[in-house]
Amino acid sequence: MAGKSDKKSAAGWRFDNSYARLPDALFARAVPVPVAQPGLAVLNENLAAEMGLYAAALRETGTEVFAGSTVPAGADPIAQAYAGHQFGHFTNLGDGRAILLGEHLTPAGARFDVQLKGSGQTPYSRRGDGRAALGPMLREYVISEAMHALGIPTTRSLAVATTGEQIAREEMLPGAVLTRVAASHIRVGTFEYANAIGDRATLEALTRYTLERHYPESVGVENPALALFEGVLERQAKLVAQWVCVGFVHGVMNTDNMALSGETIDYGPCAFIDTYDPATVFSSIDRGGRYAYGNQPNIAHWNLARLAEALLPLIDEEKDKAVAAAEETLGKFPERFRSHYTAGLRAKLGLFSEEDGDLELAKEFLDCLKGAEADFTGAFRSLVRAAETSELQDALSFGGTPLRAWQAKWMARLERQQRSRAKVVAAMSAANPVVIPRNHRVEEALAAAVAGDLSVMHRLLDALARPYEATSANEAYRDGPLPGSGPYRTFCGT
Ligand code: AMP
Ligand code: MG
């Protein structure tokens, strides 16, 4: 049954549906499946305001839209087709439990995908029920909004609606629908799909569309496919460097979960590290550590190779030339990542100028943290405090081992740049969060929410809203888990 149509748009929806005007192979028309009892678990009023939507009207009439029971006026809902390499293996996928309502145009003219996730079956559902559980949808809401507050490009979360239905996973769970807002949902896997169907016109149309939407500066260049590839490579190099600098582990960096816009997308088994260790894996299904914290740049590089393969037919008519050009660009990734990562670490250490040994200096510090099993976020905050006092007798110490030699080197490095200590402290404060979504805090909030108490999650959201400031709201949320809490695990049964 198709959903009702919401005629009046007091909420401020202004839809355009440019993706639905692309070649037919790229999507299937599909409407959200109405649910038993729509309810509103959480609405992101700040994001609504940024989008030119009216929170009061959304609270009044939006619940049915967020639950998928009403399609807002102007929307032309579709499920997007895509493929992807999952843990290294190629698969045909598509939106199996998500529906793109369309693109909302903000009063300022920005274009955002508005997607319902968990909105019922689509032509791409395979054997899935098309549904999502409340806990994982709130998890995506909390962590994506935390990423945004950290200043890292990400899809956003406008609302989570409850459905009044139970869904069958390992146990019965309350169902929910997340309203996700994104620059777009075009993935590496979308290009893999367009290439795999072997229709050049479709691949060309998708390339043109993606350039116009995300890399308008490259429209009209001689080799659009290569320009697109370079643009995506640069944004991914920066994005993954930003993840690593705050200790984020995406957890399931399949090519269908990598967006061409350069936004972080698909919050499944993701989590933030507490103690620093490049081998950290949270996902229960990532047994080989493919998506481990420290392996993320390698995987981004691997995924970009898959994007390059998909674009080969457009890069050059002659296969050899296409491969050579793609390889040349792909080969830039390690240096581009290293450059962004070094810049991120310099900021974390309060370094404005550039010296050759900066990356090594940072790595020595990270090695100390690893050896001491020190808390990553907390250790960098103690560096900020050390920069404030600037006296070596206040030796930094992790796991009982003082860091005198390293600290002296770092202090000497700080002295070699012409910046006041106040400027150094300000820069470090802006690069080292006081608070991140600690796993034990996220779990606590979600457990309470699923049991019907949303107040714990709202306090957590408040604490995460201004992560680079020590606020009264985040005071109780800064510390890692108590020692001996055991390793944290995330599960993919979303
Ligand atoms: P994800 O793990 O969320 O990135 O999803 C991988 C693929 O599985 C995507 O094509 C999803 O649409 C699909 N999928 C995940 N869960 C479901 C579900 N409950 N029903 C149908 N398709 C699903
Ligand atoms: Mg996905």
Side-chain angles (χ1 to χ4, degrees), residues 200 223 311-326:
R200 189 186 170 92
N223 195 326
L311 288 166
L312 281 181
L314 305 186
I315 290 177
D316 202 295
E317 302 281 335
E318 287 178 51
K319 182 101 192 267
D320 292 355
K321 284 192 186 160
V323 170

Side-chain angles (χ1 to χ4, degrees), residues 412-423:
R413 174 69 183 83
L414 288 179
E415 294 310 320
R416 289 199 296 279
Q417 60 182 6
Q418 306 298 314
R419 297 290 166 145
S420 71
R421 194 48 69 84
K423 284 226 167 75

